[in-house]
């Protein structure tokens, strides 16, 4: 059974740093894109950052220059390094992974699988 397990997060003061991890466990044939969403009360879920299997990165404007997404492909793990944190970054962060379901290189079928979510709180 394939699972996506998150770790990291917690509470920091304004300007602090945190690192989130997102690891895919189980027997898989590869991972396409991975990424991080966040959701805070009363707001829509928003995409924060993503990274393709070729390490192409995308960031929403509000985190550019402060957050860095990376992945360790042999470990099937993605990271989100967050710096200069602000109260507006407070949210539950959820990671996803587009997991390749079949061994054939010509079949690009994948399943989007989500982590369990982790709370990030930035306080003054």
């Amino acid at each position: 059974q394939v699972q996506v397990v998150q770790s990291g997060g917690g509470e920091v003061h304004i300007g602090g740093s945190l690192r989130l991890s997102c690891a895919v466990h189980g027997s898989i044939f590869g991972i396409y894109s991975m990424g991080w969403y966040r959701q805070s009360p009363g707001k829509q879920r928003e995409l924060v950052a993503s990274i393709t299997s070729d390490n192409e990165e995308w960031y929403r404007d509000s985190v550019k220059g402060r957050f860095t997404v990376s992945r360790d492909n042999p470990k099937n793990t993605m990271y989100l390094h967050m710096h200069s944190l602000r109260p507006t970054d407070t949210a539950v962060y959820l990671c996803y992974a587009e997991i390749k379901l079949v061994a054939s290189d010509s079949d690009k079928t994948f399943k989007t699988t989500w982590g369990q979510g982790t709370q990030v709180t930035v306080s003054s």
Side-chain angles (χ1 to χ4, degrees):
Q1 180 140 356
V2 177
Q3 287 185 309
V4 177
V5 179
Q6 295 181 223
S7 59
E11 183 169 358
V12 294
H13 292 297
I14 293 173
S17 298
L18 284 172
R19 188 186 79 162
L20 306 181
S21 299
C22 174
V24 178
H25 297 283
S27 180
I28 63 174
F29 297 103
I31 304 172
Y32 294 123
S33 288
M34 302 179 78
W36 296 92
Y37 277 82
R38 66 185 180 189
Q39 186 159 25
S40 51
K43 293 186 179 180
Q44 285 191 323
R45 183 179 293 189
E46 59 184 22
L47 181 62
V48 176
S50 64
I51 184 166
T52 68
S53 56
D54 295 326
N55 288 319
E56 291 183 17
E57 302 166 25
W58 177 92
Y59 301 94
R60 69 181 305 105
D61 287 346
S62 61
V63 307
K64 284 180 181 176
R66 301 188 298 122
F67 290 13
T68 302
V69 62
S70 63
R71 60 192 283 175
D72 183 336
N73 289 329
K75 293 183 178 180
N76 292 331
T77 300
M78 171 183 62
Y79 305 96
L80 185 67
H81 296 261
M82 305 182 291
H83 304 286
S84 301
L85 283 162
R86 306 166 180 169
T88 49
D89 295 316
T90 296
V92 173
Y93 285 69
L94 301 106
C95 72
Y96 70 89
E98 295 176 347
I99 298 173
K100 184 173 169 56
L101 298 178
V102 295
S104 169
D105 287 341
S106 61
D107 188 334
K108 305 298 183 184
T109 304
F110 65 87
K111 178 180 180 181
T112 301
T113 304
W114 294 86
Q116 78 276 19
T118 187
Q119 178 70 43
V120 170
T121 302
V122 184
S123 58
S124 57

